[in-house]
Amino acid sequence: MSFYSLTSGVILENPESIKNDRKKTICISGHREKSIIPYQNNYAYYDITIKTVRCLLERYLDLAYLNGYDTFISGLAVGADLWGAEHIVNRRRQGMDMTFIGVMPYLHHADSFPKRYVDLLYKVEKEADKLILMSPNPDITYRSCPSNENESRTLYRDRNYFMVDHSSAIIAFFNDGSYYSGTAQTVNYALKSNLNICRFGLDTVYSLISRYKSIDKIKTAIQNIV
């Protein structure tokens, strides 16, 4: 049976179909947007905080490419996953030779996405080289305490482990103290799997905002990261 994305209509492939070169593959993990606390816990700084996170993520993705990684895997979640995916798609449009693989934990994973993220998901799915659906059950949904065969608490874990198992490095937007997040789960598994890890968190973001004040100056500083 074939499945198609409920967002874009793109055909979804099973996990066994992946044939990437793990040595040249890097996966993206990071917190969802709602988990990002603005600088000084002040909503007036929300916009610059988000933009700084995105600029750092994009710079590390560019550096990964410059260091030989040509395949990028995203779990297609709201926040860092889709921000990273969008950057890869944009770089491909600019002529960079990148392969993009999206990994969907289950068919209905985007049912509660805000509209702007549904639009972003549509964009990256349409341009993906491969979209993988982890669960073969089209009716399954996530529940922390499952009560029937169409509910599971391991859907996101299975997606996260799959990405790590098919990568040799990870770029993670991960905050200290977020021990029970999906990002923590992914990073911890990457550590156990001996992946190369590029990690940054809100401490780095806040430091940049405190020092440079404006997003234009922050962008310039980030471009000097090597």
Side-chain angles (χ1 to χ4, degrees):
M1 179 184 295
S2 297
F3 295 105
Y4 297 84
S5 167
L6 302 178
T7 300
S8 65
V10 172
I11 192 166
L12 305 173
E13 302 183 51
N14 62 58
E16 292 73 24
S17 70
I18 193 168
K19 303 295 181 183
N20 65 306
D21 181 351
R22 185 176 182 180
K23 292 181 180 179
K24 294 184 177 181
T25 302
I26 190 164
C27 61
I28 305 163
S29 184
H31 298 298
R32 298 171 187 262
E33 184 175 343
K34 67 180 181 180
S35 301
I36 300 176
I37 301 169
Y39 176 65
Q40 295 185 346
N41 205 19
N42 184 337
Y43 196 80
Y45 293 108
Y46 182 77
D47 187 59
I48 195 172
T49 303
I50 296 295
K51 286 181 178 178
T52 303
V53 171
R54 294 195 64 163
C55 286
L56 279 166
L57 177 61
E58 290 168 3
R59 179 56 179 162
Y60 290 129
L61 288 168
D62 287 345
L63 288 172
Y65 179 72
L66 292 173
N67 281 279
Y69 292 95
D70 60 14
T71 302
F72 298 80
I73 303 179
S74 167
L76 304 176
V78 166
D81 286 23
L82 279 174
W83 295 337
E86 182 180 33
H87 183 66
I88 298 305
V89 165
N90 289 340
R91 285 296 195 224
R92 282 159 51 108
R93 288 178 174 178
Q94 295 165 5
M96 291 188 179
D97 185 16
M98 296 174 164
T99 297
F100 172 62
I101 300 171
V103 184
M104 189 181 297
Y106 58 102
L107 189 61
H108 289 271
H109 78 116
D111 281 1
S112 62
F113 280 19
K115 184 181 183 306
R116 69 184 186 281
Y117 276 105
V118 172
D119 293 342
L120 180 52
L121 182 62
Y122 178 91
K123 172 184 175 180
V124 301
E125 285 188 354
K126 280 291 189 179
E127 301 211 26
D129 294 283
K130 182 182 287 287
L131 282 179
I132 291 173
L133 177 64
M134 290 300 298
S135 174
N137 180 352
D139 300 315
I140 203 162
T141 58
Y142 173 81
R143 291 290 184 276
S144 57
C145 297
S147 60
N148 60 64
E149 63 182 8
N150 287 327
E151 297 176 349
S152 172
R153 65 191 302 268
T154 68
L155 295 170
Y156 293 106
R157 183 203 66 186
D158 294 345
R159 186 270 313 276
N160 297 339
Y161 283 14
F162 177 87
M163 293 195 302
V164 171
D165 286 341
H166 290 85
S167 303
S168 61
I170 181 173
I171 294 175
F173 166 50
F174 175 60
N175 296 319
D176 289 329
S178 302
Y179 302 121
Y180 300 103
S181 67
T183 303
Q185 180 185 71
T186 309
V187 170
N188 287 335
Y189 186 60
L191 283 167
K192 293 177 182 177
S193 302
N194 297 314
L195 266 65
N196 294 320
I197 296 175
C198 173
R199 169 185 160 185
F200 69 97
L202 283 175
D203 52 347
T204 304
V205 172
Y206 296 159
S207 177
L208 286 165
I209 296 172
S210 176
R211 181 174 181 183
Y212 295 106
K213 310 302 182 185
S214 77
I215 190 61
D216 289 337
K217 291 181 179 179
I218 289 169
K219 287 180 179 179
T220 299
I222 289 174
Q223 286 304 307
N224 290 326
I225 295 174
V226 295

